[in-house]
Amino acid sequence: MTLPIVFYLFSFVLGAVVGSFLNVCIYRLPTGESVVFPPSRCPSCGTRIRPWDNIPILSWLILRGSCRACSAKISARYPLVELINGLLCLALFLKFGPTLTFAALFVFCSALVAISFIDLDHQIIPDVISLPGIVLGFVLSFFLPWLGWLNSLIGIAAGGGSLLLVAWLYERLTGKEGMGGGDIKLLAMMGAFLGWRAVPFIIFASSLVGSVIGLTVMMLQKKDSKLAIPFGPFLALGALLYIFFGKAIILWYLSIGAR
């Protein structure tokens, strides 16, 4: 039986509301501020944002992207993060329904959204998200039959170990650091939530997309190979592709090899 549309609407609203909190995390975590206190405020004038001006997506549209108090422009990134997280929550609900898998992957995907935007802004992946994420993913594996604790544990080792090896080899060959420790911990977190089978897919997909986009950016900006491009968002994209399309992509790839 098809669930009523109200459940789909609720899942989107839930994701958008959590996305509003993610905006706070994205803004405050890199500076070491508390994400709980003080309450949300205008980045320009510091005026506390009232509850009716803090409705995800809608308030930004109603206020035309500006602060009610000082009329300073509010970045479109705020409603964008809320929209992305709302759509992710809806997509997860459509795929998994009201299950523990949905809840676990919603927490995981929300963490990926926060990590991606922080990495884009500051080129760091906060340990305060990735390290607890590794522990949480492993704990949840005991309650998710399709994952299992051993699969999760191997995923942690494979995810962190594979990128650690790549980073070590790159540094040995070039004498330069090519990958930060944050990426290593992030892939370990992905292995904890998705299992070891997801790790090769995520590495391949993120490297492919990252290479294409990186080369395109370098050509457009006429930069050399020293251009620093955060890898976290590409890892996050690879994980999302695995969750929603992983099996279909793998079967398609194997069918090509069988021809």
Side-chain angles (χ1 to χ4, degrees):
M1 181 181 296
T2 303
L3 289 172
I5 192 171
V6 66
F7 285 93
Y8 302 139
L9 179 61
F10 175 78
S11 64
F12 176 80
V13 171
L14 173 64
V17 170
V18 173
S20 182
F21 174 70
L22 295 183
N23 277 320
V24 177
C25 297
I26 293 166
Y27 184 80
R28 297 187 185 184
L29 284 181
T31 62
E33 296 181 69
S34 169
V35 298
V36 178
F37 184 84
S40 297
R41 60 193 186 275
C42 172
S44 298
C45 67
T47 300
R48 179 177 175 179
I49 298 177
R50 303 300 178 185
W52 51 86
D53 288 336
N54 206 21
I55 302 171
I57 303 172
L58 291 179
S59 291
W60 189 89
L61 293 173
I62 292 171
L63 294 173
R64 298 180 180 179
S66 61
C67 172
R68 186 185 293 275
C70 67
S71 299
K73 290 297 181 182
I74 304 296
S75 173
R77 174 177 290 186
Y78 288 90
L80 177 62
V81 169
E82 294 162 353
L83 178 62
I84 290 173
N85 216 57
L87 292 174
L88 277 175
C89 187
L90 174 59
L92 288 169
F93 188 81
L94 288 170
K95 186 173 180 64
F96 300 104
T99 61
L100 180 58
T101 296
F102 158 74
L105 292 182
F106 173 55
V107 172
F108 173 66
C109 289
S110 295
L112 294 185
V113 172
I115 285 171
S116 295
F117 280 95
I118 290 173
D119 201 18
L120 284 171
D121 281 344
H122 304 279
Q123 295 190 355
I124 59 171
I125 296 176
D127 288 348
V128 71
I129 298 179
S130 57
L131 292 182
I134 294 172
V135 176
L136 179 60
F138 180 65
V139 170
L140 288 173
S141 70
F142 286 89
F143 305 95
L144 298 170
W146 58 268
L147 181 56
W149 70 269
L150 184 58
N151 187 13
S152 177
L153 185 62
I154 297 174
I156 295 170
S162 58
L163 282 194
L164 183 62
L165 178 61
V166 170
W168 180 80
L169 288 174
Y170 183 87
E171 188 169 355
R172 291 281 293 183
L173 292 172
T174 66
K176 298 178 290 185
E177 182 179 348
M179 184 170 295
D183 296 320
I184 296 170
K185 297 165 194 171
L186 174 57
L187 190 57
M189 184 183 83
M190 293 174 175
F193 272 92
L194 303 177
W196 69 267
R197 294 176 183 84
V199 172
F201 180 96
I202 293 172
I203 293 176
F204 177 79
S206 59
S207 300
L208 178 61
V209 176
S211 297
V212 172
I213 294 179
L215 289 172
T216 302
V217 171
M218 283 191 288
M219 287 189 293
L220 291 176
Q221 297 186 358
K222 297 181 180 180
K223 302 282 187 179
D224 58 21
S225 60
K226 297 180 181 179
L227 177 66
I229 298 177
F231 193 50
F234 298 116
L235 286 171
L237 179 59
L240 293 178
L241 287 173
Y242 181 81
I243 291 171
F244 292 107
F245 310 108
K247 289 184 179 178
I249 293 175
I250 292 171
L251 289 174
W252 170 78
Y253 180 79
L254 292 177
S255 68
I256 293 177
R259 292 176 184 173

